[in-house]
Amino acid sequence: MEEKSGKKLSYGKLFLLVAAVMVALTLVVYFGGGMTGTTFFTGEITPVEFCADGQWYQWDLTQAPMAVDAPTKLPEDGVLGEETGQGLIYTDPEGTAYVIPVETIQPDSLRVSASGKRLLGRTEEGTLYFFYLKDGAIESYQEVDQSVTAADFVGRGEDAAYFKQDTFFYTSGGIKGQEAEHVLSFAPANDANWIYLVQGAEEGDTVGELVLFISGQRAVLDQEVIEVSYLGSGTAAYRKADGTLCLARGEETEQTAYQATDIQGGKQP
């Protein structure tokens, strides 16, 4: 009887051990280690476009950079604002038109969430609004903040980053908070809930740290950085003060063999 009981206990311990290992493996696969959250990306990497000695290049990160006449990236695909007699009209990528119910919304400030359910825009005075889209119309809207100078959605949901001059705020699920000051450049991911930031130490700085921001956590990736541009699939290109063109993939960075005086797609607050 004792031997039988011992076998049952052994099987039970073995089951618990296997279960624990499976949970641990699941967490490792899902989170990928570090603080970078899920590492599964479905989007493709957009070629980085950079300028060197007055010549623009397009580089797909595999073959050698190709000289081009001018940068080709569009600011925001499918985000269109048009002034009409009805006011400002927003047309989504599928061609559905929405009349914006707030005056003085700036056409170039319009952004649509990846879900297609929310639109954001700033007025001429800097008031930021969220507009909720449903069945081809703006169902409702709300004021988010004032004195906003730049804003964009982050990731596949409806979180957003916005700026008051060089101060960075993040809003998620109706909760907003100040996250960083002296931001020189920012690059929100459109396929993950993270943002690459270049943050100066004090007001007036022209170079700073490259920071990866994820849900309130931050990791410093590099120093002496000027600007950053998101390429997709977790990858960003950034330019250092000495002109070196570098890449960041989550918390990993790589120095390339190329120099750059400008990067297309880098955003300033």
Side-chain angles (χ1 to χ4, degrees), residues 29-33 35-46 154-156 187-196 212-214 230-236 248-252:
V29 170
Y30 182 79
F31 287 101
M35 58 161 280
T36 54
T38 176
T39 56
F40 292 101
F41 292 95
T42 57
E44 297 181 354
I45 297 179
T46 302
V154 181
R156 305 303 299 170
N190 54 14
D191 51 5
N193 287 324
W194 65 31
I195 302 173
Y196 291 96
L212 179 61
F213 175 88
I214 304 176
Y230 190 67
L231 306 179
S233 196
T235 303
R249 295 182 176 91
E251 295 179 64
E252 301 296 324

Side-chain angles (χ1 to χ4, degrees), residues 139-249:
E139 182 181 42
S140 61
Y141 63 95
Q142 71 175 104
E143 179 181 318
V144 179
D145 211 335
Q146 298 181 346
S147 302
V148 174
T149 53
D152 209 336
F153 285 107
V154 181
R156 305 303 299 170
E158 296 170 355
D159 291 1
Y162 68 92
F163 292 83
K164 294 184 176 186
Q165 298 302 329
D166 64 354
T167 302
F168 164 52
F169 293 80
Y170 194 87
T171 176
S172 175
I175 300 174
K176 60 186 178 183
Q178 179 177 322
E179 303 295 343
E181 294 183 307
H182 315 310
V183 175
L184 309 176
S185 178
F186 71 103
N190 54 14
D191 51 5
N193 287 324
W194 65 31
I195 302 173
Y196 291 96
L197 300 170
V198 180
Q199 183 178 11
E202 57 186 28
E203 186 175 357
D205 282 353
T206 56
V207 299
E209 298 176 332
L210 179 66
V211 176
L212 179 61
F213 175 88
I214 304 176
S215 302
Q217 299 184 61
R218 62 194 304 275
V220 177
L221 308 182
D222 207 343
Q223 307 286 336
E224 297 295 307
V225 178
I226 292 179
E227 64 178 331
V228 60
S229 176
Y230 190 67
L231 306 179
S233 196
T235 303
Y238 64 96
R239 181 168 64 95
K240 300 197 66 168
D242 64 1
T244 304
L245 180 66
C246 301
L247 300 175
R249 295 182 176 91

Side-chain angles (χ1 to χ4, degrees), residues 128-146:
L128 178 64
Y129 287 91
F130 282 159
F131 301 94
Y132 301 92
L133 313 181
K134 185 177 181 181
D135 298 329
I138 294 178
E139 182 181 42
S140 61
Y141 63 95
Q142 71 175 104
E143 179 181 318
V144 179
D145 211 335
Q146 298 181 346

Side-chain angles (χ1 to χ4, degrees), residues 3-55:
E3 184 178 353
K4 202 175 201 180
S5 182
K7 286 182 179 179
K8 286 184 178 179
L9 185 60
S10 296
Y11 291 145
K13 285 182 177 180
L14 179 60
F15 175 79
L16 291 175
L17 179 60
V18 170
V21 169
M22 291 300 294
V23 170
L25 287 174
T26 301
L27 291 173
V28 169
V29 170
Y30 182 79
F31 287 101
M35 58 161 280
T36 54
T38 176
T39 56
F40 292 101
F41 292 95
T42 57
E44 297 181 354
I45 297 179
T46 302
V48 57
E49 295 179 326
F50 65 96
C51 185
D53 297 325
Q55 174 66 58

